[in-house]
Amino acid sequence: MLKILKYSFFDLMRSSWSYVYFAFYLLLGIVLLFLNNDLSKAVITLMNVIIVLVPLIGTVFGVMYYYNSKEFTELLLAQPLKRSSIFLGQYLGVAISLSMSLILGLGLPFIAYGLFKSSAIWDFSLLLITGVFLTFIFCALAFNIALSNENKIKGFGYAILMWLFLAIIYDGLFLMSLILFEDYPLDKLSLVGTMLNPIDLSRTLILLKLDISALLGYTGAVFKQFFGTSFGLIISFLMLSIWVILPVLRIVFKSRKKDF
Amino acid sequence: MKIYFSIIIFIISTWLVSAGTLTICESGCDFKSIQKAIDQSKSGDTLYIKSGFYKESNIVIYKKSLHIIGEEGAVIDTQYKGYGFSVEATDIVIKNLKIKNIKVSYTKEYAAILLFKSYDFVIENITVENAFFGFLIQKSKDGKVHNNTISGEGSAEADSGNAIHLWHCENVTITNNDVRRMRDGIYLEFGSNSYISNNYSTENLRYGLHFMFSNDNIYENNVFEANGAGVAVMFSKKIKMYNNVFKKNWGTASYGILLKEINDAELKHNRFENNTIGINADGTNRITYTENTFENNGYAIKVHGACYDNIYSRNNFLYNSFDLSYAGNLNSNEFENNYWSNYTGYDLDKDGIGDVPYRPVKLFSYLVNRTPESIVLLRSLFIDIIDFSEKVSPVFTPENLIDNKPLMTKATW
């Protein structure tokens, strides 16, 4: 598996898309810092970008990479190799190279700006951690979709639809259900709703450290307990890990049974 | 000649009497007990309490003008038996003492110092520890409460009292006090013409500062931090609030400042930082909010009904989750020349005023008002989209609630 991981990783590192991705974040980081001049505000703006763009790029890259390397995958399948190690190796190769572009692209300008001397370092590391989680989650979801669909166009379509659903439509439905059931106690429902969507989950996680804390307690005891203590942080990270593990398990099972 | 002599004797004797000084200490002074010294003293005497530990409570001063001055290390322990001092006198000074362990009661308001119908009083450099009430000042006038430190250990509103409580008082100056862990930090009930400045009020269970039916007061340069519900100004007229800092008041019913039934007040140069709600205004008329800074609050200003003729100008709204929440119609309130950090307009003629009006109320704040739980969607892409569409064509938010002349840069003063 490690060999395939290494191969995929270096293959992607050589491809120009990784550099474009890296350059994009580098530029974003530099522009934000020098227009804003305020590290903690830059972190907030960055959050908006990360929770939308990272999933999108993870999805598109994942699907693209799977379909592009399909012939090579079929060649590998002819070798005496375990199927799970082939697909997991490819998946990890994509996810790790994307995460590296993200961390380096954003990290370099912030370090140059003086991150280590700033109090925003925890907010910033949280931002990067959730960014990495999102990359892993959406790459895995994209691999799942690609594995289930032989048709490239269909696969791409589903992948984009999944991103659209989780990034925007889900929140719309969520909000509508909250308004519809406003006569009932909603605090637990809304927390569960947040947990079920990795994008919402990461957003909440970052907001916990940023401005939701000022609104803390406004909405009642359950929220106060969840947002006010490290309990919320632990649960959120646990859920994010589950969001990584479940799709990865499905990759393993699906690839074992799939005909090529 | 004899007459002159007797007059001189009289003058000297009255002078001696008026400048009489009594000392109190454990041994070797005029008295051992503070109460006995007070009983033996005459109006105008000065009592020096030497360093030591005095287990006395309910010390009564009745119609005697005394100056009671403690030496460093003079401690009065009331041993949870009742009041510290209970005073009804004019021209009274109590200084440099430490009073501790005041009895907690659900029926009587035991205080370290109780002043009743006292005029021209000075309470200075008093440290009260384990207070139920700190200073309870009733029906008094022309006093000064300066440089005191009062702290309590109350756990619920019912079993704690107020640090400085004024009831039916006039012309009292309250400066440089540090009040913490009480029910209310400073409470004025039917108090007028008072001046409150440079106090630090923190960790109080209810309000850092509380006005009830108190008109014509000024408070400035105070810091109110992490109080149960912030500062409350209720049912009062002509209050001036300058240069105060309100911060870290978090909770369901927490405000930087709660304004309820307030008329003709003025808020200027105040700072509101990290509060759940910066200003909660309910039934306020003719109030001017000028040059205040609202930073990192949940809501900067929340306006409920029945607010008329309020003017908000030259304030800085910086990075609040919501700048404004508004119920009902605009009701001749004005927003003008404020700086909004969320403003995205431009200034082509470069006069420092944005060319596009700013709408401070967002659709999402309206939604959160309706269903508070929807706050979990804060800053989500979907919310940004519906906020944007509401901005383009307002449906739910008051149409004329606009800052027509938003500033391009922070207001400075």
Side-chain angles (χ1 to χ4, degrees), chain B residues 9 48 157 163 208 320 332:
Chain B
I9 292 286
Y48 287 101
E157 278 184 24
N320 304 294
S332 62

Side-chain angles (χ1 to χ4, degrees), chain A residues 150-161:
Chain A
E150 283 299 303
N151 189 337
K152 271 189 193 180
I153 304 296
K154 247 184 169 177
F156 258 110
Y158 284 137
I160 295 293
L161 202 66

Side-chain angles (χ1 to χ4, degrees), chain B residues 24-35:
Chain B
I24 302 153
C25 65
E26 273 157 26
S27 59
C29 301
D30 304 340
F31 294 96
K32 281 186 180 178
S33 140
I34 302 169
Q35 182 67 63

